[in-house]
Amino acid sequence: MKFSNRIKSVQESPIRKLVPIADRAEKNGKKVYYLNIGQPDIETPREFFEAVNNFDRKVLEYSSSHGLPQLLKAFSEYYSSKSIDFTPEDIIVTNGGSEALLFSLMVLCDHGDEVIIPEPFYANYSSFTSSLGIKVSPFITKAEDGFHLPSIEAIASLVNDKTKALLISNPGNPTGTVYTKEEVRMLADIAKEHDLFIIADEVYREFIYTETEFLSFAHLADVEDRVVIVDSISKRFSSCGARIGCVASKNSEFIFEFLKLCQSRLCVSTINQVGAAALSRVSHEYIEKATVEYHKRRDILYSALSSMEGVVCREPEGAFYIIAKLPVENSEEFVVWLLEEFDVDGETVFLAPAEGFYETEGSGLDEVRISYVLESESLKKAMNVLKKGLESYPKRK
Amino acid sequence: MKFSNRIKSVQESPIRKLVPIADRAEKNGKKVYYLNIGQPDIETPREFFEAVNNFDRKVLEYSSSHGLPQLLKAFSEYYSSKSIDFTPEDIIVTNGGSEALLFSLMVLCDHGDEVIIPEPFYANYSSFTSSLGIKVSPFITKAEDGFHLPSIEAIASLVNDKTKALLISNPGNPTGTVYTKEEVRMLADIAKEHDLFIIADEVYREFIYTETEFLSFAHLADVEDRVVIVDSISKRFSSCGARIGCVASKNSEFIFEFLKLCQSRLCVSTINQVGAAALSRVSHEYIEKATVEYHKRRDILYSALSSMEGVVCREPEGAFYIIAKLPVENSEEFVVWLLEEFDVDGETVFLAPAEGFYETEGSGLDEVRISYVLESESLKKAMNVLKKGLESYPKRK
């Protein structure tokens, strides 16, 4: 009995695989600050829970494979508020952004096809592509440049006749980078020139800490038929456990093909869709407050990291992540050491080793991703642990 | 711009694609009896909704990729009550049975591999396999034989070096057939002899109307390392919209590989898992009553169909479906005609054309699948519509 090559090529989640070690640290009485995962501590809007509690159907039925009409309308209105034109017909509700991504890749790419992705990238992109036999063609972006894009030539040189799409996370997970309008335009031009789709994962759209206005790929009319937006309420409304996302595109043939996959999985949870639709009643202050809060945390984190000798990073512009280069040979070893052998007054910190965010072997070995999803005081303590940890680490470079 | 070959090979859901025609019939004032889809009218247990309403976390967080511990325990205890030994470690919670199937196929089969399935089969099996580039190798079972299995040689002759698994729905959707112990044993023997996995979709396990005891593939100790059970609460507890299912296997390597895919989609809806875990408190009377009700409906349906001239079917033994051969050339045309051009006192019926349940081109053209998911009076009226419809149909054979 043999398992498939496709599943053998899927790596364990680099974010989740060290969880048992953190569990052990907690069992041994340590307090662990979890900065390894994008699980915010911000309260979910009460409108979500109220709508769920008011659900009064006697039979919990399948909903439409497309999505609940009121939720499609809510997504459409949300895009409208961002000057993005997506009618409910352009949108399909998905099981989180994850399903939107998996299915988009299935619609666009066959086994053996290629997708161009800036490196480092969200580790699950690699799980999705590997499990489908799709090759990632990565181009490198660097901590020293704040993970901004290289030249148009460096990217376009990766295109070959197997290349089907660019897959872009903006604002970036794990980098926190927000691409400038010129960068977004450049990627769109590459897609046009080489007849590619753009899968744009914009789930962190709301969390931007610079003055620059965010340009969505959906704002560019001349590529609207080749843009697929992947979205989710998970981060925007701190409702990761709802598993509600969507895909949106002006390419109606894409939507038609995507829907076939949605029909095969019947529907997305009815109750969570009801809750998610009610989020359209949440005042914009909710997101503004969250953004101010993340902005403050980013400042704390960045200033703390900047004060640590040997740490290299640039100020992230959005999302709630930062990739930092540490003065260590192997950041996974260091993360394990922090959990198993180090503490400051009984407290330690859990970071995500960055190697899993790279396709190119040997890259990111000395980097970590840090999520700023805890409130300021915890974040300060966690950064103090990291600072002291780096000072005491026996294998420090 | 081109879409993938894999998505082009996925058919539109044969069950859902005629929905717009039924919608139009309703708009024109007709009452439609929906016997085309497996959406029961039985009330969901109130324990589910109570647990959901009592969910009092302020942040709707991700849960474990594996599943909520209390739900894994509930599934394990349920299996125990069926004399099936699955510990929580043998189980992973999934987005309905659908995800359990999709991911099982990904774990076991590469692009180009083959899966043996008795025909007719649940149409979405074909969506999952096509979208993954897996070939279905079907063997025919017939209405005249109650869709029971052919000889061991007929099945085993399909095995080649690309064959990775048998995919079996038992009790059967769309056939309503419950395999005898001898049939289950025969399939297990084929799997052993030819080193195959068995993906056993047993979501209708509770709904059996014969005296014969149901034998699960999980009851067979000698093949426990090659059996993968696909399950769901959707039908058992009439909670299709919860999208809670699971995969279970004693093969720990399978569970390890499967979990990698689950990590990539992060988790299943937290609230629905809380609701589903509470179903372990539902008294067994709930399922007994539902089974009695479906049994009654089956009798009504079967007796009505048996009284119609030219209709061929055998009494189904389980689930809540029957496949009937009708005296028409093309059952899809007939179904559309019923919706668009026929009614009895303003009422009509919506059946699922069976062609989509067959892999072999040209099969099932004169068959329909009928779900007995409505209460008796509606079912009787719907059968009267069908009878009159068959009598009046201009293209009747």
Side-chain angles (χ1 to χ4, degrees):
Chain A
M1 288 187 300
K2 257 185 62 226
F3 299 101
S4 65
N5 295 321
R6 72 167 101 219
I7 195 67
K8 287 291 178 189
S9 73
V10 175
Q11 63 177 348
E12 263 193 285
S13 161
I15 303 169
R16 293 187 169 225
K17 75 176 177 183
L18 302 179
V19 170
I21 297 172
D23 289 347
R24 265 206 306 281
E26 285 212 330
K27 260 195 197 136
N28 295 336
K30 268 187 213 178
K31 177 174 172 54
V32 177
Y33 292 106
Y34 287 88
L35 303 186
N36 62 311
I37 188 167
Q39 171 56 60
D41 62 346
I42 307 262
E43 283 189 16
T44 309
R46 57 178 173 68
E47 284 84 349
F48 184 96
F49 296 114
E50 280 169 10
V52 165
N53 289 345
N54 288 333
F55 183 82
D56 65 349
R57 304 288 297 267
K58 296 272 184 238
V59 183
L60 184 52
E61 297 188 347
Y62 289 124
S63 49
S64 143
S65 299
H66 210 120
L68 274 194
Q70 65 261 43
L71 179 54
L72 293 167
K73 186 163 165 277
F75 273 125
S76 170
E77 286 168 1
Y78 165 76
Y79 289 121
S80 229
S81 78
K82 303 278 154 195
S83 310
I84 296 173
D85 165 38
F86 282 132
T87 67
E89 290 71 33
D90 301 328
I91 303 168
I92 296 179
V93 177
T94 57
N95 278 306
S98 309
E99 189 185 70
L101 261 163
L102 180 72
F103 285 2
S104 293
L105 288 166
M106 289 170 97
V107 169
L108 300 180
C109 303
D110 278 312
H111 179 91
D113 283 344
E114 299 187 14
V115 171
I116 295 174
I117 315 183
E119 209 175 26
F121 55 83
Y122 178 49
N124 286 327
Y125 291 174
S126 151
S127 308
F128 297 137
T129 51
S130 308
S131 68
L132 296 170
I134 299 166
K135 190 180 156 230
V136 170
S137 189
F139 62 87
I140 191 79
T141 64
K142 293 179 186 161
E144 292 80 353
D145 308 329
F147 299 102
H148 279 278
L149 297 178
S151 70
I152 191 164
E153 293 75 22
I155 303 169
S157 70
L158 297 174
V159 178
N160 63 42
D161 58 1
K162 290 282 182 192
T163 312
K164 291 294 151 66
L166 303 169
L167 171 49
I168 306 292
S169 161
N170 185 35
N173 173 8
T175 59
T177 304
V178 180
Y179 294 135
T180 62
K181 289 187 178 188
E182 291 70 29
E183 287 175 301
V184 172
R185 187 64 253 175
M186 175 173 91
L187 292 169
D189 287 340
I190 295 173
K192 260 174 95 166
E193 166 81 17
H194 298 279
D195 194 21
L196 306 176
F197 279 89
I198 299 166
I199 305 174
D201 174 353
E202 298 184 349
V203 303
Y204 296 95
R205 186 187 297 111
E206 296 291 343
F207 304 130
I208 293 182
Y209 319 115
T210 59
E211 291 306 309
T212 334
E213 211 186 319
F214 172 69
L215 185 68
S216 166
F217 283 98
H219 283 128
L220 304 176
D222 64 325
V223 285
E224 67 171 20
D225 56 336
R226 53 182 80 247
V227 167
V228 171
I229 300 289
V230 165
D231 212 341
S232 166
I233 64 164
S234 292
K235 312 294 170 168
R236 204 142 77 216
F237 291 109
S238 190
S239 49
C240 298
R243 309 313 300 129
I244 296 293
C246 76
V247 72
S249 178
K250 297 305 283 180
N251 185 319
S252 58
E253 204 184 335
F254 173 86
I255 292 293
F256 172 83
E257 300 293 347
F258 193 100
L259 185 60
K260 294 197 289 190
L261 294 173
C262 295
Q263 288 177 336
S264 77
R265 57 76 165 131
L266 307 170
C267 73
V268 170
S269 151
T270 306
I271 285 182
N272 283 301
Q273 289 191 74
V274 168
L279 294 172
S280 65
R281 296 199 297 271
V282 174
S283 102
H284 198 72
E285 263 175 41
Y286 174 89
I287 289 177
E288 280 162 17
K289 271 178 66 180
T291 310
V292 167
E293 176 62 26
Y294 287 130
H295 194 154
K296 190 172 78 181
R297 295 176 184 182
R298 185 215 50 183
D299 291 347
I300 290 169
L301 194 75
Y302 180 66
S303 126
L305 289 169
S306 302
S307 78
M308 296 180 205
E309 223 190 288
V311 172
V312 177
C313 60
R314 289 285 169 276
E315 192 176 57
E317 297 127 359
F320 39 64
Y321 305 102
I322 187 168
I323 291 261
K325 220 186 249 297
L326 305 182
V328 302
E329 286 288 346
N330 184 306
S331 65
E332 184 170 318
E333 272 180 38
F334 175 63
V335 167
V336 171
W337 179 83
L338 283 175
L339 290 169
E340 289 187 336
E341 305 190 35
F342 186 73
D343 70 86
V344 174
D345 303 330
E347 301 187 339
T348 193
V349 63
F350 187 4
L351 312 172
E355 188 190 356
F357 299 106
Y358 286 84
E359 181 76 10
T360 309
E361 199 124 355
S363 298
L365 280 174
D366 57 353
E367 298 176 1
V368 288
R369 184 190 74 170
I370 311 176
S371 311
Y372 37 105
V373 288
L374 299 183
E375 44 73 36
S376 307
E377 284 315 302
S378 298
L379 217 49
K380 283 178 192 163
K381 286 184 189 163
M383 286 301 101
N384 185 47
V385 172
L386 175 60
K387 184 173 187 158
K388 295 270 164 63
L390 281 172
E391 288 165 7
S392 317
Y393 188 50
K395 295 172 78 173
R396 183 189 165 104
K397 270 202 298 199
Chain B
M1 286 188 302
K2 253 183 66 227
F3 299 100
S4 65
N5 295 321
R6 72 166 102 220
I7 195 66
K8 287 291 179 189
S9 73
V10 175
Q11 64 177 345
E12 262 194 286
S13 162
I15 305 169
R16 295 189 169 224
K17 76 176 177 183
L18 302 179
V19 170
I21 296 172
D23 289 348
R24 268 206 306 279
E26 286 214 328
K27 258 194 198 135
N28 295 336
K30 269 189 216 178
K31 176 171 172 54
V32 178
Y33 293 107
Y34 287 87
L35 304 185
N36 62 312
I37 188 168
Q39 171 57 59
D41 62 347
I42 308 263
E43 284 190 14
T44 310
R46 57 178 174 68
E47 284 85 349
F48 184 98
F49 297 115
E50 281 168 11
V52 164
N53 289 346
N54 288 333
F55 183 83
D56 64 350
R57 303 289 297 267
K58 296 272 184 241
V59 184
L60 184 50
E61 294 188 349
Y62 288 123
S63 49
S64 144
S65 300
H66 210 121
L68 274 194
Q70 66 260 43
L71 179 53
L72 293 166
K73 186 163 166 279
F75 273 125
S76 170
E77 286 168 0
Y78 166 77
Y79 290 121
S80 229
S81 77
K82 303 279 155 196
S83 309
I84 296 173
D85 165 38
F86 283 132
T87 66
E89 290 69 32
D90 301 328
I91 303 168
I92 297 178
V93 177
T94 57
N95 279 304
S98 309
E99 188 184 71
L101 262 163
L102 179 71
F103 285 2
S104 293
L105 288 166
M106 289 170 98
V107 170
L108 300 179
C109 304
D110 278 312
H111 178 90
D113 282 345
E114 299 186 15
V115 172
I116 295 176
I117 316 183
E119 210 175 27
F121 55 82
Y122 178 49
N124 287 327
Y125 291 175
S126 153
S127 308
F128 297 136
T129 50
S130 309
S131 67
L132 296 171
I134 299 166
K135 190 180 156 232
V136 171
S137 188
F139 61 88
I140 191 78
T141 64
K142 293 178 187 163
E144 292 80 352
D145 308 329
F147 299 102
H148 278 278
L149 296 178
S151 69
I152 191 165
E153 294 75 23
I155 302 169
S157 71
L158 296 174
V159 178
N160 64 42
D161 59 359
K162 289 283 184 192
T163 313
K164 292 295 153 65
L166 303 169
L167 171 49
I168 306 293
S169 160
N170 185 35
N173 172 10
T175 59
T177 303
V178 180
Y179 294 134
T180 62
K181 289 187 178 187
E182 291 70 29
E183 287 176 302
V184 172
R185 187 64 253 173
M186 176 174 90
L187 292 169
D189 288 340
I190 296 173
K192 258 174 97 168
E193 167 79 20
H194 298 280
D195 195 20
L196 307 176
F197 279 89
I198 298 166
I199 306 174
D201 175 354
E202 299 184 351
V203 304
Y204 296 96
R205 185 186 299 111
E206 297 291 344
F207 304 130
I208 294 184
Y209 320 115
T210 60
E211 292 306 310
T212 335
E213 212 185 315
F214 173 70
L215 185 68
S216 166
F217 282 98
H219 283 128
L220 303 177
D222 65 323
V223 285
E224 65 172 22
D225 57 335
R226 52 182 82 246
V227 167
V228 170
I229 300 289
V230 165
D231 212 338
S232 166
I233 64 163
S234 292
K235 314 294 168 163
R236 204 143 74 217
F237 291 109
S238 191
S239 49
C240 299
R243 311 311 302 128
I244 296 293
C246 76
V247 73
S249 178
K250 297 306 283 183
N251 186 320
S252 59
E253 204 182 335
F254 174 87
I255 293 293
F256 172 83
E257 299 294 346
F258 193 101
L259 185 60
K260 293 196 289 190
L261 294 173
C262 295
Q263 287 177 335
S264 77
R265 56 79 164 125
L266 307 170
C267 73
V268 170
S269 150
T270 306
I271 285 182
N272 284 301
Q273 288 191 75
V274 168
L279 293 172
S280 65
R281 297 199 297 270
V282 175
S283 103
H284 198 70
E285 264 176 45
Y286 174 87
I287 289 178
E288 278 161 17
K289 272 178 67 180
T291 309
V292 168
E293 175 64 25
Y294 286 131
H295 194 154
K296 190 172 77 183
R297 294 175 185 184
R298 183 210 57 176
D299 292 346
I300 291 169
L301 195 75
Y302 180 64
S303 129
L305 289 169
S306 302
S307 77
M308 296 179 205
E309 224 190 287
V311 172
V312 177
C313 60
R314 288 287 167 276
E315 191 177 58
E317 297 126 359
F320 38 64
Y321 306 102
I322 188 168
I323 291 260
K325 221 186 250 294
L326 305 182
V328 303
E329 287 288 348
N330 183 308
S331 65
E332 182 168 322
E333 272 180 39
F334 175 63
V335 167
V336 170
W337 178 83
L338 283 174
L339 290 168
E340 288 186 338
E341 303 190 36
F342 186 73
D343 69 86
V344 174
D345 303 331
E347 301 187 341
T348 193
V349 63
F350 187 5
L351 312 171
E355 189 191 355
F357 300 106
Y358 286 85
E359 180 77 8
T360 309
E361 200 126 355
S363 297
L365 281 173
D366 57 352
E367 298 175 3
V368 288
R369 185 191 72 171
I370 312 178
S371 313
Y372 38 104
V373 288
L374 299 183
E375 44 75 34
S376 306
E377 285 315 302
S378 298
L379 217 49
K380 283 178 192 164
K381 286 183 188 161
M383 285 303 100
N384 185 47
V385 171
L386 175 60
K387 184 175 187 154
K388 296 266 164 60
L390 282 172
E391 287 164 9
S392 319
Y393 187 48
K395 296 173 78 177
R396 184 191 165 103
K397 271 202 297 197

